[in-house]
Amino acid sequence: MGGTQAIRGKDGRGGLGNVLSGIAVAIGFALFLGGFAWGAVVYRPYMVPTDSMMPTVRPGDRVLAQRIDGADVHRGDVVIFTDSLWSDSPMVKRVVGIGGDVVKCCGAAGELTVNGTPLDEPYADTTKPETGLAMPPGQAAPTATPFEVTVPEGNLFLLGDRRAASLDSRAHLQEAGQGSVPRSAVSARVDALAWPSVTMLERPATYAALPGGTSRPGPLRLQVVTVLAGAVLVALGASYGPVARVLARGRRQERAGVR
């Protein structure tokens, strides 16, 4: 009798429940910690200091960028890259053209074209430069002069979403590669804003019809689900004991009242 009582617990109930709650807590911790560890391996946080990618990314925003190889970059991706001809620090821009593309500004309606296809860019701020537009010391606002560039194989043509205030490939048209950078310069692709808002970056539909289409989102959503599922399992497993005791006490009181 004493052995049965030990297995079932002090109130004679909940032996199986205690085992299951312990398993739930163990699995929950594994999922919770594993999700964070997985995220730390795949993603890297960055703080964006400039307004060149507005309105997509604003100054001071924290972003999560998936660590990728430059070979995995597609048109429309917002990437982190470092090129010594541009800056010694990592920069963030959007990929508009890849090797072999003809990027032209501007089309009949003033739009950017890639291989003759006009781009619909709802993510971009294409307003003309304002008088006295603030730029970094020694740097001038980008010119609106029309251009046509054939991107060298293995390179990327990059623009900021705030076209009037972005020092991007247009500022390097006279250099080797006509302002493009090697794919090898890319270290990560921005998948989401992490702070002050939490927002996934959508792949622009305008590039989907072009050869190669758009890139696939990284595993961030699955990682978030994994962490949340782990937290829920830990909470449920940890709450089983107190809830079971409260319910058992209530049943004893009901039985005592009947007598």
Side-chain angles (χ1 to χ4, degrees):
M1 189 70 172
T4 302
Q5 184 74 8
I7 293 173
R8 296 177 59 157
K10 290 183 179 181
D11 59 358
R13 304 180 60 84
L16 179 59
N18 287 331
V19 171
L20 293 178
S21 68
I23 293 174
V25 169
I27 294 175
F29 268 120
L31 290 175
F32 187 80
L33 297 178
F36 273 113
W38 184 14
V41 170
V42 176
Y43 286 93
R44 182 177 175 181
Y46 289 88
M47 192 277 287
V48 178
T50 69
D51 62 356
S52 68
M53 283 299 295
M54 287 179 59
T56 305
V57 183
R58 299 180 179 279
D61 281 358
R62 270 66 171 179
V63 301
L64 290 177
Q66 182 184 3
R67 303 171 196 262
I68 62 169
D69 186 89
D72 297 327
V73 175
H74 290 64
R75 300 181 193 88
D77 288 344
V78 175
V79 298
I80 308 292
F81 68 98
T82 304
D83 188 283
S84 58
L85 294 178
W86 292 43
S87 172
D88 293 329
S89 302
M91 302 187 71
V92 55
K93 303 293 178 187
R94 188 181 297 274
V95 177
V96 172
I98 61 176
D101 283 347
V102 177
V103 182
K104 183 178 180 180
C105 179
C106 299
E111 74 278 17
L112 199 69
T113 67
V114 174
N115 302 328
T117 301
L119 298 182
D120 178 19
E121 300 184 282
Y123 52 79
D125 177 359
T126 57
T127 55
K128 294 181 179 180
E130 301 173 359
T131 303
L133 183 68
M135 296 296 292
Q139 297 177 350
T143 175
T145 303
F147 64 86
E148 182 173 340
V149 171
T150 299
V151 185
E153 291 295 337
N155 281 25
L156 305 168
F157 196 81
L158 303 142
L159 297 180
D161 284 357
R162 192 182 184 198
R163 298 291 156 79
S166 174
L167 290 171
D168 46 40
S169 288
R170 297 168 299 168
H172 300 272
L173 292 175
Q174 306 306 317
E175 299 171 5
Q178 292 185 285
S180 63
V181 301
R183 283 181 175 268
S184 59
V186 175
S187 59
R189 175 173 53 218
V190 177
D191 251 7
L193 304 181
W195 190 90
S197 63
V198 180
T199 309
M200 295 293 295
L201 259 62
E202 300 296 330
R203 271 49 177 177
T206 191
Y207 297 97
L210 295 173
T214 56
S215 62
R216 301 187 58 165
L220 183 59
R221 282 193 174 96
L222 181 57
Q223 291 168 350
V224 171
V225 169
T226 299
V227 170
L228 292 178
V232 169
L233 283 175
V234 170
L236 291 176
S239 66
Y240 171 79
V243 171
R245 286 193 291 272
V246 169
L247 293 176
R249 187 180 304 115
R251 284 192 289 269
R252 287 196 299 270
Q253 291 174 348
E254 288 178 0
R255 288 195 294 269
V258 170
R259 292 176 188 152

